[in-house]
Amino acid sequence: MIDLRRLRYFLTVSDELHFGRAASRLHIAQPPLTRQISALEADLGFRLFDRSTRNVTLTAEGRHFLPYARAVMEQVDLTTAITGKLAAGSAGHLAVGYASSIALSDVFSQTIQAFCTAYPDVQLSVEEGASSTQWAHIIEGRLDIGLSRMQPPGDDIDVQALCLDNEPLVAAIASDSPLAGQAQVTLAELSAYPLIAFPADYGSGLNEIVETLYRRHALTCRPAPTGKQITSIIALVAAGRGVAVVPQCTQTLAKRGVTYRPLAELEATAPLLVLTRKRERSPLVSAFVEVIRKTIGAR
């Protein structure tokens, strides 16, 4: 196996074509450098330099070997650099899951942008999915972080949730509805209309929040068509198929035929939860959580 130190010595001598100057650059004496180059030549089985009292030149074999030696050392330097970044948590791969309603928020897009700017050597992958799907994927190791609306069920699951924000909920109403002319609406008024939501088996945190609000106010959710995407839910509202209760950020979907109105109930909010494994917090996970904290704090 070739000694990497000797290979670096060879590259320095080939740059300088002078053993004295090369030794000075390497901060060693010239005789040890000469011995190391001779040892490398012995390992390789051919001479690298023609030496005279006045000149040092590369042999034909040395010239042919030079680009391969450079490539090896460049890869070694790259490996050393990436090893340091991995240890410091500034490189690697991070998989983030998110609920569809969260993707519409400024916090989501600003966090992704800020993280990718601060950690350009991190390969960031994002995957949309319901909260219950995120729990399973985090436990399995397919996701490192989840951005969710729903708390994990109980203490027996190996997922922890950190609440970083609470976002007001608003009503999405067909623009020709009498409710659209009001400054705000109540849940009781909305309960007179079919409630468009995610499918019951989708595992949506938003569904759970809205259903809990209805139950708290002794209201019944009238059945309506469902949509697996927040965009589908808003499209169904525009089609006059019912109303929806959605996070405030959904108002960025300014679809014709849909009017958004605040809810009178101040407790009608949806949390922004960051999900991680309980007993594992890599430097990259900690870095992402810190970026999202700063993003929320800067608003």
Side-chain angles (χ1 to χ4, degrees), residues 2-269:
I2 297 175
D3 187 317
L4 293 178
R5 182 186 54 164
R6 292 172 179 170
L7 207 58
R8 195 177 296 279
Y9 288 175
F10 162 65
L11 292 177
T12 304
V13 176
S14 68
D15 287 342
E16 297 292 341
L17 293 178
H18 190 285
F19 275 81
R21 290 194 298 269
S24 179
R25 272 182 56 184
L26 293 167
H27 305 290
I28 61 174
Q30 183 174 333
L33 174 60
T34 301
R35 289 195 295 271
Q36 291 296 328
I37 294 296
S38 296
L40 177 60
E41 290 174 327
D43 290 340
L44 295 174
F46 54 82
R47 289 171 47 245
L48 294 167
F49 297 101
D50 284 325
R51 308 168 179 84
S52 69
T53 55
R54 294 189 177 184
N55 296 308
V56 175
T57 59
L58 284 162
T59 63
E61 293 85 356
R63 287 193 301 273
H64 187 74
F65 180 65
L66 179 60
Y68 295 98
R70 289 198 192 282
V72 169
M73 294 313 300
E74 285 171 1
Q75 191 61 45
V76 169
D77 291 342
L78 178 61
T79 301
T80 301
I82 202 67
T83 299
K85 290 179 179 180
L86 286 168
S90 60
H93 177 261
L94 191 70
V96 178
Y98 63 93
S100 64
S101 63
I102 289 175
L104 297 173
S105 70
D106 290 340
V107 169
F108 179 81
S109 54
Q110 290 170 6
T111 296
I112 297 298
Q113 182 181 35
F115 183 83
C116 290
T117 299
Y119 299 92
D121 294 314
V122 174
Q123 180 187 356
L124 182 69
S125 61
V126 293
E127 176 183 311
E128 182 179 318
S131 296
S132 59
T133 303
Q134 291 182 33
W135 302 333
H137 288 179
I138 288 171
I139 293 170
E140 294 166 2
R142 290 177 54 182
L143 290 177
D144 300 299
I145 294 174
L147 302 178
S148 171
R149 301 288 191 188
M150 187 192 297
Q151 287 279 355
D155 296 329
D156 56 339
I157 187 171
D158 191 24
V159 177
Q160 62 184 359
L162 177 65
C163 183
L164 295 184
D165 199 15
N166 279 288
E167 183 177 0
L169 294 172
V170 299
I173 308 160
S175 298
D176 58 1
S177 167
L179 297 181
Q182 301 178 190
Q184 63 180 17
V185 297
T186 66
L187 290 172
E189 290 171 325
L190 288 178
S191 68
Y193 296 82
L195 181 66
I196 303 168
F198 293 96
D201 61 353
Y202 184 64
S204 164
L206 186 58
N207 275 18
E208 183 179 81
I209 292 166
V210 175
E211 289 167 4
T212 299
L213 281 170
Y214 269 59
R215 286 195 300 269
R216 189 178 300 158
H217 290 268
L219 302 172
T220 301
C221 300
R222 293 181 59 189
T226 59
K228 286 191 174 181
Q229 303 286 334
I230 197 75
T231 50
S232 302
I233 290 173
I234 297 305
L236 289 168
V237 172
R241 304 299 294 159
V243 298
V245 177
V246 293
Q248 190 177 58
C249 63
T250 311
Q251 294 178 113
T252 58
L253 296 175
K255 186 169 181 59
R256 181 182 300 177
V258 177
T259 298
Y260 297 96
R261 288 292 178 260
L263 290 172
E265 291 79 8
L266 296 180
E267 78 275 18
T269 60

